[in-house]
Amino acid sequence: FEGLAAMLKNEAAFRFELCVIVPLAVVSLFLPVSAAQHVLLIAVFGLVLICECVNTAIEAVVDLVSPGFHPLAKIAKDCASAAVCISIGTAAITWAWTIFTLVFGE
């Protein structure tokens, strides 16, 4: 739980993601979707938060072992950030597809 506390205290991106995720998770409870679809909508949010935690951990370790600029340090940080970006894209596509099928049918 100390890791979650550190994320909430130190990571603005994590707090912002929670501000988006929590209301959408509540909205998902009222969507006329199957249980499996509901689990998927929530799971993609978990994926985003997991990637954000791993990204933060990688950045902290890289900063610890390589305080100056190093090309490999940049690659590590960029790849970790890319994981966050991909997870957010996956969540957005999952939600967009679900809403699209609710509005326009399958």
Side-chain angles (χ1 to χ4, degrees):
F1 291 104
E2 288 182 26
L4 285 175
M7 291 298 293
L8 288 168
K9 179 181 177 186
N10 301 314
E11 294 300 320
F14 188 80
R15 291 190 303 271
F16 175 78
E17 289 158 357
L18 282 177
C19 288
V20 172
I21 287 171
V22 170
L24 284 175
V26 172
V27 165
S28 76
L29 297 173
F30 299 99
L31 294 176
V33 297
S34 69
Q37 287 172 306
H38 181 71
V39 167
L40 180 62
L41 292 174
I42 300 303
V44 293
F45 288 151
L47 177 65
V48 171
L49 297 177
I50 290 166
C51 285
E52 191 65 56
C53 291
V54 172
N55 178 48
T56 298
I58 289 171
E59 288 185 353
V61 170
V62 167
D63 289 345
L64 176 66
V65 300
S66 182
F69 177 79
H70 191 282
L72 292 177
K74 180 179 182 339
I75 290 171
K77 287 184 171 190
D78 288 348
C79 290
S81 292
V84 174
C85 184
I86 292 167
S87 70
I88 290 170
T90 300
I93 290 167
T94 302
W95 271 78
W97 182 256
T98 300
I99 300 302
F100 179 85
T101 57
L102 286 175
V103 172
F104 297 106
E106 292 185 41

